[in-house]
Amino acid sequence: MTSSIKTKIHVEGLSELEKALQEIPRATGGNVLKRAIVKPAQMFADHARELAPKESGKLKQEIKVSKPKVISAGKAAFAAAMREGATRAEAGHAARAANAAAGGAGRHAVVSVGPTKGAFHGLFQEFGTARHGPKSFMRPAWDALSPRFPKMIAETLWEEIEKARQRIVKKADRKSTRLNSSHCN
């Protein structure tokens, strides 16, 4: 996907969500974050496909959602330090300090939506060229849907946290049942 334009959505002020995320195992919390951003990202991609110019049809097929990634405070600090010209050792120190300061919080999920490299011409459609004007499809999709994303992300996060809690309880029950049955025999 083209990396020339980036837009970020920050969902803040949801301290209850962050607290609930910290109550579940770290790996599970990361997966919860990933699932919470895929739903709105897929909706965005679907709407952009609907709006994409129909010349060849390839552009519509190549509007994709990337695999979501979870980035910790340490990873973000490491990347920022490297961009500023720090050595790997200095960047590593910055990462450790950021993780320690965050205390398990400060993770965020990232996903990209847009045409893949196989449809690089989507950039020309979106912004136009010297020979034709823009036939925007990504920006109108963004403008139409982005106001709903923070609420959708928060709702999906709550749903996914609750599902994770239920899975954790079921797993503990199964383990307890197995332990009890092995002690009875």
Side-chain angles (χ1 to χ4, degrees):
M1 287 171 229
T2 59
S3 60
S4 55
I5 300 172
K6 294 181 182 182
T7 302
K8 297 178 182 180
I9 296 179
H10 295 281
V11 181
E12 295 179 355
L14 304 172
S15 58
E16 299 87 19
L17 269 172
E18 188 166 349
K19 183 179 177 189
L21 267 173
Q22 290 179 355
E23 291 173 357
I24 58 179
R26 186 169 174 81
T28 303
N31 290 331
V32 163
L33 284 173
K34 290 178 189 178
R35 286 191 295 271
I37 64 166
V38 167
K39 183 178 177 181
Q42 191 59 55
M43 179 189 288
F44 175 44
D46 292 344
H47 195 58
R49 276 188 217 102
E50 290 174 17
L51 299 176
K54 298 167 180 62
E55 279 83 35
S56 72
K58 182 175 182 177
L59 178 58
K60 286 179 178 271
Q61 296 170 357
E62 293 296 319
I63 297 173
K64 306 275 184 179
V65 176
S66 72
K67 183 177 176 181
K69 298 176 187 172
V70 174
I71 299 176
S72 67
K75 283 184 183 178
F78 183 91
M82 291 300 287
R83 278 192 304 272
E84 293 171 3
T87 66
R88 288 189 65 79
E90 293 167 337
H93 179 71
R96 286 187 294 279
N99 279 336
R107 294 185 303 160
H108 60 278
V110 177
V111 69
S112 297
V113 179
T116 63
K117 291 179 182 176
F120 66 91
H121 63 282
L123 192 61
F124 306 134
Q125 294 294 331
E126 182 75 15
F127 297 106
T129 67
R131 295 188 180 175
H132 73 78
K135 297 177 184 174
S136 298
F137 57 99
M138 294 297 289
R139 185 60 193 216
W142 175 259
D143 289 343
L145 298 174
S146 63
R148 299 184 350 211
F149 289 160
K151 183 177 180 187
M152 184 184 300
I153 291 168
E155 288 172 353
T156 306
L157 266 172
W158 275 121
E159 291 169 12
E160 292 296 332
I161 289 169
E162 198 51 45
K163 288 179 191 176
R165 285 177 175 164
Q166 290 170 4
R167 285 191 299 270
I168 290 166
V169 167
K170 283 183 182 179
K171 185 176 179 180
D173 287 346
R174 283 192 306 268
K175 189 174 184 178
S176 173
T177 303
R178 270 188 255 133
L179 283 173
N180 289 337
S181 65
S182 69
H183 286 289
C184 292
N185 294 336

